[in-house]
Amino acid sequence: MAAAAATAPAAAPPAPVNLRLGDLVWGKLGRYPPWPGKIVNPPKDLKKPRGKKCFFVKFFGTEDHAWIKVEQLKPYHAHKEEMIKINKGKRFQQAVDAVEEFLKKAKGKDQDLTIPESSTVKRMMTGTVAGFKWPPSVSEPVKDGDPHFHHFLLSQTEKPAVCYQAISKKLKVCEEETGSTSIQAADSTAINGSITPTDKKLDKEFDPLAETFPDPQPGVATNRIGFLGLGLMGSGIVSNLLKMGHTVTVWNRTAEKCDLFIQEGARLGRTPAEVVSTCDITFACVSDPKAAKDLVLGPSGVLQGIRPGKCYVDMSTVDADTVTELAQVIVSRGGRFLEAPVSGNQQLSNDGMLVILAAGDRGLYEDCSSCFQAMGKTSFFLGEVGNAAKMMLIVNMVQGSFMATIAEGLTLAQVTGQSQQTLLDILNQGQLASIFLDQKCQNILQGNFKPDFYLKYIQKDLRLAIALGDSVNHPTPMAAAANEVYKRAKALDQSDNDMSAVYRAYIH
């Protein structure tokens, strides 16, 4: 028996899967469950990702499409029963129903699309299906309570007051009493890197019986995106917009910062007014209230390019009065306005993992969804203009005060003869453990204050948060104390260092 076993021929590897245009497939994005779709031709202006063998897939039951790596695709018919057994969500079933409806229509038109697989795929349906497996993923299995969800399912959130169960995961879109909506989506850059910008007009015209998207008609082009301000945050945002296939025109006060993005495919705008006038939606991310006002109201500013229908999204962290003033002047010219400050730092911006706080024009918020999915992991809609500015200042007030307390604790450990590294180790094992805590403490211990979030900007945000408290007669003594420490650090020429350089205010 042993000899027989030793000489037995090895099992033949499964036949390769050859897919082609028109095939129905199960497409798998990142660590998330498979979803039914169809291989189609992409819009002509959409480039294929470099270095990847992939197909462009239109998903059933959604308004989304994506480039999917070939190893993340399975033929639909061969794996239908398997997928239905493991996926029970309501939205998943609706997608399967949409496939069946498509097949009925195809049969009714006498088009032989009900079995679109190649001969190789047909052989698999009868013999080697069991040998075809998804490539392993380090993130699997997907847990039901994961707070993130890939944005190709984001369009399934039709009614914000409802929580849906979507293919074995919960995508929460909950309307709060304040009128805010939280849409959570996973990092499309880190997980998949190939999600395409959604064009609602093209999606609505897509015919599943055809093999391609229709050519854009005059006036029916994908959104042209403008971006003003290429600082620590803006640079990462623009890079991710370009990676996701958006057409982006950039402008920066220091023009040399545009060069890298021009090489990556961005277009150059000579003035803010020119960018706004040539783009459908223009984003801006600048340093403070004065810069935000100058950008809009100054010579060749945003306001000069605004005309009816133009959209302006201010992502700067400013006070509510400033953003309200900007909204009023934009709307007075027939434009649409959204404030959308971001919570995060340079690394999170580069990774497409920012948290976006938006308020203002709800329709514009929805129109920006594919852009927000490229740049962030989560977006919140907070209602009327000014609410996002207030919330952002509160968030940064907490962060800035915490950073000052960390610095104070490390210096107290040092002067009392305690090991700063041991203090960090203890904190990292307790309830305060976080990436923020560990990174900022490491900055201090290594003396590395390369900016990830400028000290001068966190001090600005503390100042604005204190003023916000004063405007409603609410005391902010902790923030006020932290603000004084940051002011001392600024006096020691630490403004252009990272916020963790507040530590130096305690040792000088």
Side-chain angles (χ1 to χ4, degrees):
M1 291 292 292
T7 58
V17 181
N18 295 323
L19 297 173
R20 62 185 182 185
L21 187 67
D23 282 358
L24 300 182
V25 293
W26 296 97
K28 192 173 188 298
L29 288 172
R31 63 175 182 254
Y32 299 105
W35 198 261
K38 180 185 177 187
I39 296 176
V40 300
N41 282 324
K44 291 183 177 180
D45 60 347
L46 194 61
K47 297 180 180 178
K48 187 175 182 179
R50 296 178 182 176
K52 297 178 180 179
K53 186 177 181 181
C54 53
F55 288 100
F56 193 74
V57 177
K58 170 70 181 178
F59 293 103
F60 286 89
T62 78
E63 294 298 327
D64 295 284
H65 42 269
W67 289 105
I68 307 295
K69 296 178 183 178
V70 67
E71 61 265 25
Q72 300 295 341
L73 293 171
K74 287 185 179 183
Y76 176 81
H77 295 283
H79 295 273
K80 176 182 174 182
E81 291 185 6
E82 170 193 344
M83 296 305 166
I84 291 177
K85 286 181 181 179
I86 63 175
N87 296 313
K88 301 295 183 181
K90 177 181 177 182
R91 302 299 295 176
F92 173 82
Q93 185 56 53
Q94 291 175 347
V96 173
D97 291 344
V99 179
E100 298 306 314
E101 182 64 24
F102 155 68
L103 291 172
K104 289 179 182 179
K105 289 182 179 180
K107 185 176 181 180
K109 291 188 177 183
D110 294 324
Q111 295 188 19
D112 186 19
L113 294 176
T114 56
I115 304 180
E117 292 84 1
S118 64
S119 59
T120 303
V121 175
K122 291 177 182 178
R123 289 197 300 272
M124 288 187 62
M125 292 173 64
T126 59
T128 59
V129 172
F132 188 94
K133 296 182 179 180
W134 296 112
S137 171
V138 296
S139 301
E140 292 179 350
V142 177
K143 297 183 179 179
D144 189 53
D146 194 318
H148 302 311
F149 201 82
H150 207 287
H151 89 243
F152 93 104
L153 291 176
L154 196 64
S155 65
Q156 298 179 24
T157 61
E158 300 163 344
K159 296 180 180 180
V162 180
C163 291
Y164 293 113
Q165 178 72 25
I167 57 173
S168 302
K169 290 180 62 67
K170 292 178 181 177
L171 172 57
K172 295 185 178 180
V173 184
C174 303
E175 191 79 13
E176 302 175 358
E177 291 181 1
T178 59
S180 69
T181 301
S182 166
I183 301 179
Q184 299 189 342
D187 169 28
S188 54
T189 304
I191 295 175
N192 190 59
S194 59
I195 294 297
T196 64
T198 298
D199 182 327
K200 296 180 179 179
K201 295 174 182 177
L202 285 178
D203 285 337
K204 291 178 180 178
E205 295 174 5
F206 173 77
D207 180 359
L209 295 180
E211 307 300 342
T212 185
F213 284 85
D215 291 333
Q217 301 299 317
V220 187
T222 55
N223 282 333
R224 295 163 297 180
I225 304 301
F227 205 96
L228 312 174
L230 299 174
L232 290 183
M233 306 298 277
S235 293
I237 291 172
V238 170
S239 180
N240 282 314
L241 288 171
L242 290 170
K243 287 177 184 177
M244 293 302 110
H246 290 278
T247 300
V248 185
T249 300
V250 296
W251 174 90
N252 192 71
R253 184 176 56 184
T254 306
E256 290 77 11
K257 286 189 176 182
C258 297
D259 293 344
L260 175 62
F261 301 101
I262 302 303
Q263 295 173 13
E264 293 180 0
R267 301 171 182 177
L268 179 65
R270 293 176 296 180
T271 66
E274 180 183 275
V275 174
V276 173
S277 65
T278 58
C279 295
D280 302 303
I281 302 175
T282 300
F283 295 86
C285 189
V286 294
S287 59
D288 55 32
K290 183 180 185 302
K293 289 182 180 180
D294 290 346
L295 188 63
V296 174
L297 305 174
S300 300
V302 167
L303 194 59
Q304 294 185 24
I306 291 290
R307 54 182 187 269
K310 291 293 182 180
C311 302
Y312 186 63
V313 182
D314 195 336
M315 307 190 80
S316 313
T317 299
V318 298
D319 58 286
D321 288 344
T322 295
V323 78
T324 299
E325 178 183 346
L326 296 181
Q328 289 173 347
V329 296
I330 295 293
V331 173
S332 70
R333 294 287 183 90
R336 300 168 65 196
F337 182 87
L338 186 75
E339 58 167 331
V342 293
S343 178
N345 54 31
Q346 183 182 30
Q347 187 60 54
L348 292 175
S349 177
N350 292 341
D351 293 343
M353 293 292 282
L354 295 170
V355 176
I356 301 155
L357 311 183
D361 188 320
R362 178 60 180 266
L364 178 51
Y365 170 71
E366 295 171 352
D367 290 344
C368 291
S369 63
S370 67
C371 293
F372 288 161
Q373 292 152 18
M375 65 181 76
K377 66 175 181 179
T378 308
S379 65
F380 293 83
F381 184 78
L382 303 177
E384 64 182 18
V385 169
N387 285 345
K390 295 173 184 176
M391 185 67 80
M392 189 73 259
L393 291 176
I394 294 169
V395 169
N396 283 358
M397 178 188 76
V398 173
Q399 181 174 258
S401 299
F402 183 43
M403 181 67 253
T405 301
I406 293 171
E408 190 170 288
L410 286 171
T411 52
L412 183 58
Q414 183 180 40
V415 300
T416 57
Q418 306 304 306
S419 165
Q420 292 179 320
Q421 181 61 57
T422 300
L423 172 60
L424 173 57
D425 293 341
I426 294 170
L427 291 173
N428 276 335
Q429 293 298 317
Q431 293 179 323
L432 294 178
S434 65
I435 295 175
F436 178 83
L437 171 71
D438 186 62
Q439 288 180 342
K440 297 308 180 186
C441 284
Q442 293 293 350
N443 287 354
I444 292 171
L445 295 180
Q446 297 168 15
N448 175 19
F449 299 108
K450 180 181 177 181
D452 195 43
F453 191 123
Y454 283 115
L455 183 145
K456 60 186 176 184
Y457 293 159
I458 197 68
Q459 191 273 323
K460 174 262 298 182
D461 295 344
L462 281 165
R463 173 174 56 82
L464 294 176
I466 294 167
L468 175 62
D470 291 343
S471 70
V472 292
N473 197 31
H474 180 78
T476 52
M478 300 295 291
N483 187 47
E484 292 303 314
V485 181
Y486 282 100
K487 286 167 64 176
R488 173 168 169 73
K490 285 178 64 178
L492 295 169
D493 295 325
Q494 300 302 314
S495 288
D496 292 327
N497 280 334
D498 186 71
M499 63 188 296
S500 54
V502 68
Y503 172 78
R504 290 182 171 170
Y506 287 97
I507 60 176
H508 288 86

